[in-house]
């Protein structure tokens, strides 16, 4: 029998970016139909810094597997998703080919510093701590956090207040990992036990925690959560 997932909206909002991101995904920001005119392919090639886009290839780190942001087409290693489409458009303007370097979300900053790729784009949370390490962010997503539970909602979770004292899964490196702190502060202020949260290194591992019954719920980006459910 197929196990279904149910999404519950949570009033925890964080923000997301590009070279890294703030929240991990959400809704593409900016006014719709802003009327920006794109130049011909390669129009911005001369704006690339020295050493970036060498041999016409722009290497981009990304945690592939978080549909609909960035994921592999079924049965292939061809990336697709809204982030990949955005990168493809950037590549056309820069006159370079985009090469995705699949990297776990939490490893992206270190891999960038060791020049494994030129930039990363994976709905990575934009925090002052990362900025102080020399990472420059271009925020392109505004995201919100949702709670995902198993079909039937056996833990009777109706909102963030019900998470206190429960085992909750989050993916390492996401805005949801940051959200755990504020949610636990809320639990503490009401005399409730803190969430016992478990970290997953990949989005699939996060879902496996939930469907396997290791956690009562998981915190996930709202767009990713709704797509998954």
């Amino acid at each position: 029998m197929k196990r279904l997932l149910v999404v519950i909206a949570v009033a925890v909002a964080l923000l997301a970016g590009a070279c890294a991101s703030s929240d991990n995904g959400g809704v593409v920001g900016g006014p719709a139909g802003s009327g920006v005119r794109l130049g011909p392919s390669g129009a911005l090639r001369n704006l690339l810094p020295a050493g970036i886009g060498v041999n016409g290839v722009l290497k981009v780190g990304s945690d592939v597997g978080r549909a609909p942001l960035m994921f592999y087409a079924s049965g292939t290693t061809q990336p697709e998703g809204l982030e990949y489409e955005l990168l493809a458009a950037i590549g056309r303007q820069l006159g370079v080919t985009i090469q995705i370097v699949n990297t776990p979300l939490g490893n992206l900053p270190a891999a960038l510093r060791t020049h494994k790729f030129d930039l990363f784009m994976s709905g990575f949370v934009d925090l002052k701590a990362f900025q102080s390490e020399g990472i420059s962010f271009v925020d392109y997503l505004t995201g919100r956090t949702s709670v995902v539970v198993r079909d039937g909602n056996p833990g009777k979770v109706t909102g963030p207040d019900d998470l206190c004292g429960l085992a909750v899964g989050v993916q390492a490196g996401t805005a949801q990992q940051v959200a755990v702190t504020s949610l636990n502060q809320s639990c503490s202020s009401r005399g409730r036990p803190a969430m016992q949260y478990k970290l997953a290194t990949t989005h699939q591992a996060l879902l496996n925690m939930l469907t396997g019954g290791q956690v009562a719920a998981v915190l996930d980006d709202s767009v990713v959560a709704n797509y998954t459910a």
Side-chain angles (χ1 to χ4, degrees), residues 8-11 147 149 153-168 183-184 186-187 190 192-196 216-219:
I8 299 171
V10 174
V147 176
V149 298
N153 194 10
K156 308 302 179 188
V157 177
T158 60
D161 292 347
D162 296 330
L163 296 175
C164 299
L166 296 182
V168 177
L183 288 171
N184 271 341
S186 176
C187 292
R190 291 179 288 110
R192 301 284 304 282
M195 291 183 293
Q196 305 303 311
V218 300
L219 299 180

Side-chain angles (χ1 to χ4, degrees), residues 124-175:
F124 191 89
V125 60
D126 181 352
L127 296 177
K128 295 291 185 184
F130 293 117
Q131 294 177 21
S132 67
E133 295 175 4
I135 297 178
S136 297
F137 287 79
V138 179
D139 292 334
Y140 64 101
L141 299 172
T142 299
R144 296 184 181 277
T145 293
S146 291
V147 176
V148 185
V149 298
R150 292 189 298 279
D151 188 36
N153 194 10
K156 308 302 179 188
V157 177
T158 60
D161 292 347
D162 296 330
L163 296 175
C164 299
L166 296 182
V168 177
V170 295
Q171 185 177 349
T174 63

Side-chain angles (χ1 to χ4, degrees), residues 14-222:
L14 291 165
L15 178 84
C19 240
S21 178
S22 113
D23 195 1
N24 60 328
V27 180
V28 175
S34 58
V36 175
R37 293 179 179 274
L38 298 180
S41 179
L44 304 180
R45 182 65 180 270
N46 64 340
L47 297 182
L48 279 173
I52 302 297
V54 175
N55 298 322
V57 176
L58 190 68
K59 294 183 178 181
V60 181
S62 181
D63 182 11
V64 184
R66 296 170 65 227
L69 301 182
M70 181 90 71
F71 58 102
Y72 290 128
S74 180
T76 77
T77 56
Q78 172 58 45
E80 59 181 48
L82 69 90
E83 286 183 330
Y84 187 71
E85 291 179 11
L86 180 55
L87 281 170
I90 291 171
R92 284 194 297 272
Q93 292 300 292
L94 293 175
V96 295
T97 298
I98 301 297
Q99 178 182 329
I100 301 299
V101 182
N102 192 9
T103 306
L105 201 66
N107 296 349
L108 289 170
L112 179 65
R113 285 191 290 270
T114 55
H115 308 292
K116 297 289 178 56
F117 35 73
D118 301 311
L119 60 103
F120 64 76
M121 179 177 181
S122 200
F124 191 89
V125 60
D126 181 352
L127 296 177
K128 295 291 185 184
F130 293 117
Q131 294 177 21
S132 67
E133 295 175 4
I135 297 178
S136 297
F137 287 79
V138 179
D139 292 334
Y140 64 101
L141 299 172
T142 299
R144 296 184 181 277
T145 293
S146 291
V147 176
V148 185
V149 298
R150 292 189 298 279
D151 188 36
N153 194 10
K156 308 302 179 188
V157 177
T158 60
D161 292 347
D162 296 330
L163 296 175
C164 299
L166 296 182
V168 177
V170 295
Q171 185 177 349
T174 63
Q176 285 64 53
Q177 187 178 2
V178 179
V180 165
T181 300
S182 61
L183 288 171
N184 271 341
Q185 288 172 346
S186 176
C187 292
S188 178
S189 68
R190 291 179 288 110
R192 301 284 304 282
M195 291 183 293
Q196 305 303 311
Y197 77 95
K198 297 184 179 183
L199 283 178
T201 56
T202 67
H203 191 255
Q204 187 58 54
L206 181 70
L207 297 179
N208 290 345
M209 278 185 184
L210 180 60
T211 57
Q214 299 173 40
V215 294
V218 300
L219 299 180
D220 203 355
D221 172 78
S222 58

